[in-house]
């Protein structure tokens, strides 16, 4: 009798030795990160351009920010991919279902930070939350927080501006998500869900926790990098290119004239410009960096960034499948008001 069996495929080294892989990867990442600034300066010096010229400044910005943003993005997405292997949609629904409003709004906004959901997954998530009995306002707190206060934005802001700006963004975004969701919940607008969504049968929000090894989480990290970085890198390059152009050629006085503290209309204008744009945190933050360097006010720039991420026109089109016009208009109005308040307050106090 033939007892031979087909050998199982061998695991790659990162999955066989995940602890050693993570340690070595962190050391290599940190070492490469330290070389970015001198490396970009050396590359510009090797080119036939003056370092102090408009083109020299733009090239240095682009050559420095491109690997910097991509490295930050890859590292954060990998780590959060490991973390997100715990926060499945089923687990998230179970954590939120049955909670009282207020506490649930805070929980929903907090979960939105560490979950990898974006506008492309808004409809299935929304339906799942409604079926699980999650209150409408709590669902909106999650849907606002998930794209706006995501781990990518926080990591890039921390890497480019330091922990104070990152913490400011975190606190502001969380506040907008919590308060906006609570207000929408108080308005009792369940009747403005599309009929087919409102009439769907309720389902259990329970889940079965599966045992996950460190190797499984490393594999999830690799999958997140392939999925997210592979999808957003064109937006990153476009954002850095725009930021490089602003950095190299836009006069500081010009930018300060319509995005500075003295122009009261700068915050509403920033929100109006941001809403129709289609990008994400990774693509817009290099533009934010260049705007601030040219004299734009922090509150105005934060309002612009939040409107781009949280009120994008494509997300409104997607949500139209499950929400009636009045509820979408209420959602946009409440969130936009919160963003405007954030912009005005921080222009006044900073």
């Amino acid at each position: 009798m033939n007892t031979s069996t087909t050998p199982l495929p061998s695991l790659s080294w990162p999955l066989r030795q995940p602890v050693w892989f993570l340690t070595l990867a962190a050391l290599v990442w940190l070492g490469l990160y330290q070389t970015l600034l001198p490396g970009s300066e050396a590359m510009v010096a090797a080119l036939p351009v003056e370092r102090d010229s408009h083109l020299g400044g733009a090239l240095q910005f682009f050559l420095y920010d491109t690997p910097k943003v991509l490295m930050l993005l890859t590292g954060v997405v990998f780590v959060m991919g490991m973390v997100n292997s715990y926060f499945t949609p089923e687990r998230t629904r179970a954590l939120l279902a049955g909670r009282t409003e207020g506490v649930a709004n805070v929980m929903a906004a907090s979960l939105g930070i560490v979950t990898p959901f974006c506008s492309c997954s808004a409809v299935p998530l929304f339906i799942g939350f409604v079926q699980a009995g999650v209150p409408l306002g709590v669902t909106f707190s999650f849907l606002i927080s998930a794209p706006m206060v995501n781990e990518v934005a926080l990591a890039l802001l921390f890497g480019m501006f330091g922990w104070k700006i990152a913490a400011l963004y975190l606190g502001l975004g969380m506040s907008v998500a919590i308060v906006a969701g609570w207000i929408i919940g108080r308005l009792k607008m369940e009747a403005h869900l599309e009929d087919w969504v409102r009439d769907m049968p309720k389902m259990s929000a329970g889940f079965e926790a599966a045992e996950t090894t460190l190797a499984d989480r490393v594999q999830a990290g690799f999958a997140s990098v392939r999925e997210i970085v592979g999808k957003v890198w064109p937006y990153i390059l476009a954002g850095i290119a725009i930021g490089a152009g602003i950095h190299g050629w836009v006069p500081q006085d010009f930018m300060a004239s319509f995005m500075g503290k003295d122009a009261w209309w700068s915050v509403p204008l920033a929100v109006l410009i941001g809403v129709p744009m289609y990008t994400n945190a990774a693509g817009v933050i290099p533009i934010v960096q260049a705007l601030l360097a040219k004299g734009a006010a922090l509150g105005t720039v934060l309002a612009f960034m939040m409107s781009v991420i949280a009120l994008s026109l494509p997300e409104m089109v997607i949500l139209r499948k499950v929400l009636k016009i009045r509820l979408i208009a209420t959602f946009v109005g409440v969130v936009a008001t919160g963003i405007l308040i954030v912009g005005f307050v921080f222009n006044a106090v900073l």
Side-chain angles (χ1 to χ4, degrees):
M1 183 174 63
N2 185 6
T3 59
S4 63
T5 59
T6 303
L8 294 174
S10 59
L11 295 175
S12 59
W13 174 70
L15 301 183
R16 285 187 284 109
Q17 300 289 339
V19 174
W20 284 107
F21 164 74
L22 292 174
T23 303
L24 180 61
L27 292 174
V28 171
W29 190 95
L30 289 171
L32 289 174
Y33 194 82
Q34 297 300 316
T35 68
L36 295 181
L37 182 58
S40 66
E41 293 289 356
M43 284 188 282
V44 173
L47 297 173
V49 296
E50 291 291 332
R51 173 63 181 85
D52 295 331
S53 66
H54 294 307
L55 180 59
L59 285 173
Q60 194 278 331
F61 183 98
F62 186 84
L63 293 173
Y64 174 60
D65 266 39
T66 299
K68 179 179 181 178
V69 172
L70 288 173
M71 283 187 66
L72 284 168
L73 181 66
T74 301
V76 171
V77 167
F78 180 83
V79 172
M80 293 310 300
M82 297 177 64
V83 174
N84 290 335
S85 62
Y86 177 83
F87 291 102
T88 62
E90 294 76 19
R91 185 185 293 267
T92 303
R93 286 199 301 266
L95 287 171
L96 295 179
R99 306 282 181 177
T100 58
E101 289 186 87
V103 173
N105 289 106
V106 176
M107 286 186 61
S110 302
L111 285 170
I113 299 172
V114 295
T115 47
F117 311 127
C118 60
S119 59
C120 57
S121 57
V123 168
L125 275 171
F126 193 95
I127 293 172
F129 283 13
V130 170
Q131 284 189 291
V134 177
L136 187 62
V138 175
T139 298
F140 271 108
S141 284
F142 181 88
L143 289 179
I144 296 167
S145 174
M148 185 164 67
V149 195
N150 60 68
E151 69 275 9
V152 172
L154 284 172
L156 295 182
L157 285 172
F158 177 78
M160 291 181 172
F161 304 115
W163 70 268
K164 291 183 179 179
I165 297 297
L168 176 65
Y169 168 74
L170 173 63
L172 293 175
M174 285 272 298
S175 299
V176 170
I178 293 167
V179 175
W182 183 84
I183 291 173
I184 291 173
R186 294 293 90 199
L187 294 176
K188 303 296 182 184
M189 300 190 71
E190 286 77 7
H192 296 283
L193 295 172
E194 286 293 338
D195 295 340
W196 69 272
V197 176
R198 196 170 59 249
D199 296 337
M200 291 185 73
K202 301 300 181 184
M203 66 179 185
S204 170
F207 68 95
E208 294 183 4
E211 183 178 352
T212 306
T213 66
L214 182 59
D216 294 330
R217 299 195 189 282
V218 169
Q219 199 165 24
F222 282 130
S224 293
V225 170
R226 287 192 297 270
E227 171 67 18
I228 298 175
V229 179
K231 183 184 297 182
V232 306
W233 70 265
Y235 299 102
I236 294 174
L237 293 183
I240 295 173
I242 294 171
I246 295 171
H247 182 82
W249 280 278
V250 175
Q252 182 163 337
D253 292 341
F254 172 77
M255 190 58 63
S257 67
F258 73 94
M259 292 193 78
K261 295 181 180 180
D262 295 333
W264 68 265
W265 41 264
S266 64
V267 176
L269 179 63
V271 174
L272 288 175
I273 294 172
V275 169
M277 292 183 64
Y278 181 45
T279 185
N280 48 47
V284 76
I285 286 177
I287 302 174
V288 167
Q289 181 185 20
L291 291 174
L292 288 174
K294 288 298 181 177
L298 178 59
T300 304
V301 172
L302 284 174
F304 169 73
M305 182 176 73
M306 287 181 166
S307 64
V308 169
I309 300 173
L311 291 176
S312 68
L313 188 60
E315 183 175 7
M316 300 305 107
V317 173
I318 292 171
L319 286 175
R320 179 64 186 88
K321 298 177 182 178
V322 293
L323 308 179
K324 294 181 179 179
I325 294 295
R326 185 172 177 182
L327 183 49
I328 290 179
T330 302
F331 165 63
V332 172
V334 171
V335 175
T337 300
I339 293 173
L340 288 172
I341 292 172
V342 164
F344 283 125
V345 167
F346 279 88
N347 278 353
V349 302
L350 293 179

